[in-house]
Amino acid sequence: MRRTLLTAAMSLIVSGLVMAQGGFGPRAGGGTPPDPATRIANQVARLTTLLDLTSSQAAQMTTLLTNEQSSVSSLQTTVGTDQTALRAAIESNSPSTIDQLSTAIGTLNGQILSIRSKSQAAMYAILTPTQQTKLAAVGGIGALGGGPGGPGGPGGPGGRGPRGN
């Protein structure tokens, strides 16, 4: 009996210690994500270090990423609104609304993918052959970010895809 109580007490203590631990990750403390300008500056700094960008290339990358963010921002807001409406349509069992919203979300995600892919193509085009080789060695075009699976993409951090909410 004493052994059972001792085991139970130890289990409670260990469970309490585990539960008392803070979260893990960059926003575990409840912080907010960086604003778009900071995120873009961080991304360009990372690419500058990774690919030895010139100051001219870094400025071009900043412009391309800023333009991409501007073009994608309102589309992402609409996707979020449509996804909320889609959840309501699912809960109310409204097949025609589900079809309409699913199609709209698919179209918007296609537009976002197109914008991001064109931005990546433009970024890739300003790299020298040596930088393109370095890029290929660290994961290819996806390392430029912003595209499918990149930051903010459907599968990336902060993504607005079906599982990113």
Side-chain angles (χ1 to χ4, degrees):
M1 177 74 174
R2 181 174 179 204
R3 184 176 174 146
T4 303
L5 287 175
L6 184 59
T7 302
M10 290 302 291
S11 295
L12 286 173
I13 290 170
V14 170
S15 296
L17 289 172
V18 169
M19 297 296 280
Q21 299 302 312
F24 180 74
R27 290 189 287 208
T32 58
D35 62 274
T38 301
R39 184 188 54 76
I40 289 167
N42 291 342
Q43 187 173 354
V44 171
R46 183 177 58 85
L47 291 171
T48 298
T49 301
L50 187 67
L51 302 173
D52 297 321
L53 298 179
T54 66
S55 57
S56 174
Q57 287 174 313
Q60 290 175 324
M61 292 280 189
T62 300
T63 298
L64 289 166
L65 288 167
T66 301
N67 292 342
E68 173 189 316
Q69 175 61 36
S70 296
S71 298
V72 166
S73 180
S74 65
L75 295 172
Q76 287 177 322
T77 299
T78 304
V79 167
T81 301
D82 286 356
Q83 286 176 335
T84 300
L86 179 60
R87 282 189 289 281
I90 291 168
E91 291 170 0
S92 66
N93 192 23
S94 178
S96 63
T97 304
I98 291 170
D99 287 342
Q100 176 190 8
L101 289 168
S102 297
T103 300
I105 291 169
T107 299
L108 291 166
N109 281 330
Q111 291 171 348
I112 291 168
L113 179 60
S114 175
I115 291 166
R116 288 192 168 145
S117 296
K118 289 173 186 173
S119 178
Q120 282 185 340
M123 287 188 279
Y124 189 78
I126 66 172
L127 298 177
T128 66
T130 302
Q131 291 168 326
Q132 290 173 355
T133 300
K134 284 182 184 180
L135 183 64
V138 296
I141 298 293
L144 293 173
R160 301 291 298 180
R163 301 196 193 282
N165 284 335

